[in-house]
Amino acid sequence: MTFVTIELLVIAALWGWWAWKDPKRAYLGLPILLPTYVVRGSLGPIPTTGLELILIATLVAWTLKRGKSGVRETWTALRPWRGPALLWLAAGLVAVIVSPVHLQALGLYRAYFIEPLLIFFVGADLVRTLDDQRKLAQGFATITILLSIWAAIQMLTGWGIPHPWDAVPGRRAVGPFSFPNALALFVTPIAALAFADRLQKKEDRLLNIEFGWATVISGLVAIILAQSDGGLIAFAAAAFIALVLNKRTWKIAVGLAALSLIAFLAIAPLRTRVIEMVTFQEWSGKVRTVMWSETWTMLRDRPVFGAGLAAYPTVILPYHKATWMEVFQYPHNIVLNLWSETGLLGLMAFAFIIFIWVRGPWSVAERTADRKPQTALLLILPVVVAILVHGLVDVPYFKNDLAIAFWMLILLTMSTHRPAQKT
């Protein structure tokens, strides 16, 4: 057992003690710790991360605190989510079985399927009121602001930026992560949420005006410093949807769309840049089109199960003809990612999850919620759009922090609340 692992165990034990003493406050602080997955160790032959140990400590503390009654109550409250959650777990299990790298697949199944759903389950018990959601949103806002500051320091000093992202000119911030897009993937849906929240009525807002705008600006700064075109486009799409959905701002959205069209037609360098991005003529675009083509060829031979969980780099090798580029972990497209990793069952399960998320405010179970369906949808749709649009060119789920954040963002935007627990 390494010194790093011992440190992680001590921290997890302290966190578990706090989570047992005050489960809600500990849970609401989890967003700030999501990047700790980059700190890695092992428990004997089993690899683990700082985030995983903290999550396990949280789950154990909640189970000891709430017991069978908490499990039964939460299971009942999550009735609309049982189907998509169980289907997602089943798809992941099938993906482990068909994967040629079973041990790696089991590790990812634990990190991307089991742990996120357990955290979602616990959160459904602890995040009960609009005030709880506000505190959870503050956690996401805080980590976004901290990551933006981290990224700014990196750009000024070059500290902590791995090669080749440290090259000058062209330096790209990564924050605590190992590559720039990881930073953008994390902050983009949070910035979209904060922007949409600013359009809510004052009594419905999750963040106050200062914290809200600081989160939006910080998210945009981090995306820009990471030089993520996908992140910028995803945020712009989410912001446009948020403006269109709001009766007070839809005219602004139309005006911005008109101005954008005029700028596109009138400014030649801008037009050239947009065309290059849309037609994937830039280097990253060319890499993606080749990757998608090779992945599609592979999936035609494996249409039902895909490559299997964690198996894409192995299975794609016979189809990889573009030897001038590396083999990536995923094909960088949300549909191809899901299809390759979890097969058609996983693709359908994820679509089911998105459907239940968006439909939630309008369901029979939520008609008596303390948020009107239109109010909840004003938050849900921009976040979903940010994730899906970014997913057109990247991997917005299959990463330790992103998988947990995905399910916690669902909690953050759900409109049904229950009475606070009696203490």
Side-chain angles (χ1 to χ4, degrees):
M1 188 177 293
T2 65
F3 180 70
V4 172
T5 303
I6 294 173
E7 282 186 318
L8 291 178
L9 287 173
V10 171
I11 293 170
L14 292 173
W15 184 269
W17 175 82
W18 184 38
W20 184 81
K21 296 289 289 184
D22 194 343
K24 180 172 291 189
R25 190 167 296 180
Y27 187 92
L28 297 176
L30 283 178
I32 299 174
L33 298 176
L34 290 178
T36 59
Y37 82 92
V38 301
V39 183
R40 300 183 180 275
S42 61
L43 298 176
I46 303 174
T48 189
T49 68
L51 175 61
E52 183 172 60
L53 291 176
I54 288 169
L55 295 178
I56 292 173
T58 303
L59 293 167
V60 170
W62 178 84
T63 303
L64 293 175
K65 192 79 172 183
R66 293 283 283 140
K68 292 182 180 179
S69 62
V71 172
R72 285 196 300 267
E73 185 181 337
T74 307
W75 177 254
T76 301
L78 285 177
R79 185 183 302 275
W81 286 97
R82 294 179 196 170
L86 292 174
L87 189 63
W88 182 238
L89 285 173
L93 186 58
V94 171
V96 171
I97 294 171
V98 303
S99 174
V101 285
H102 296 297
L103 288 179
Q104 295 176 44
L106 280 171
L108 296 190
Y109 185 61
R110 182 183 71 205
Y112 300 162
F113 293 80
I114 296 175
E115 289 169 3
L117 280 172
L118 288 175
I119 287 297
F120 176 68
F121 187 87
V122 171
D125 179 58
L126 297 175
V127 183
R128 289 172 170 251
T129 66
L130 183 58
D131 186 57
D132 293 336
Q133 286 181 315
R134 286 176 174 145
K135 291 175 181 176
L136 187 61
Q138 289 168 10
F140 276 108
T142 299
I143 188 59
T144 301
I145 293 169
L146 291 175
L147 288 175
S148 175
I149 295 171
W150 191 325
I153 293 172
Q154 282 186 326
M155 290 299 288
L156 290 173
T157 65
W159 167 76
I161 303 179
H163 187 75
W165 318 117
D166 59 341
V168 179
R171 178 182 288 169
R172 299 176 66 183
V174 299
F177 309 110
S178 57
F179 55 96
N181 286 345
L183 176 61
L185 284 164
F186 185 88
V187 303
T188 298
I190 302 170
L193 173 73
F195 182 85
D197 187 58
R198 298 311 313 140
L199 304 181
Q200 299 271 30
K201 294 179 181 179
K202 186 175 181 180
E203 61 270 20
D204 294 321
R205 289 174 187 163
L206 298 173
L207 300 168
N208 63 36
I209 187 169
E210 295 84 4
F211 216 0
W213 282 121
T215 305
V216 174
I217 294 169
S218 295
L220 281 172
V221 167
I223 294 168
I224 292 169
L225 295 182
Q227 296 184 32
S228 171
D229 292 337
L232 283 175
I233 293 171
F235 176 82
F240 180 77
I241 291 296
L243 290 169
V244 168
L245 289 175
N246 194 293
K247 294 179 180 179
R248 295 177 290 110
T249 58
W250 71 268
K251 292 181 180 179
I252 296 175
V254 174
L256 289 173
L259 287 175
S260 299
L261 179 60
I262 293 170
F264 173 78
L265 296 174
I267 304 174
L270 175 63
R271 185 168 61 253
T272 301
R273 168 71 170 156
V274 170
I275 292 173
E276 287 178 346
M277 289 173 56
V278 172
T279 58
F280 298 100
Q281 294 178 21
E282 297 177 309
W283 174 257
S284 62
K286 292 177 180 178
V287 168
R288 280 169 170 78
T289 54
V290 171
M291 189 164 31
W292 297 340
S293 176
E294 293 178 346
T295 303
W296 173 244
T297 303
M298 180 269 289
L299 288 172
R300 284 190 300 178
D301 290 341
R302 309 168 69 97
V304 177
F305 298 112
L309 201 58
Y312 178 79
T314 301
V315 175
I316 198 66
L317 285 177
Y319 304 89
H320 182 58
K321 307 304 180 184
T323 54
W324 48 270
M325 58 177 266
E326 63 181 294
V327 173
F328 290 84
Q329 185 67 38
Y330 302 105
H332 284 66
N333 174 273
I334 190 166
V335 173
L336 297 179
N337 296 339
L338 289 163
W339 195 352
S340 173
E341 293 295 306
T342 62
L344 290 177
L345 183 61
L347 190 58
M348 290 187 292
F350 195 83
F352 193 13
I353 291 167
I354 296 296
F355 172 75
I356 294 296
W357 190 2
V358 173
R359 191 207 64 162
W362 301 93
S363 68
V364 174
E366 300 198 20
R367 285 178 185 170
T368 58
D370 53 1
R371 271 185 182 172
K372 294 179 180 178
Q374 297 90 335
T375 302
L377 208 61
L378 183 61
L379 287 181
I380 293 171
L381 276 182
V383 175
V384 170
V385 167
I387 292 170
L388 295 183
V389 171
H390 208 165
L392 294 176
V393 293
D394 222 311
V395 190
Y397 184 89
F398 290 115
K399 200 157 72 69
N400 304 59
D401 55 336
L402 299 181
I404 301 294
F406 177 86
W407 288 97
M408 294 185 83
L409 285 171
I410 292 176
L411 286 174
L412 196 52
T413 56
M414 284 171 63
S415 59
T416 295
H417 301 123
R418 292 181 287 151
Q421 294 178 29
K422 294 181 181 180
T423 57

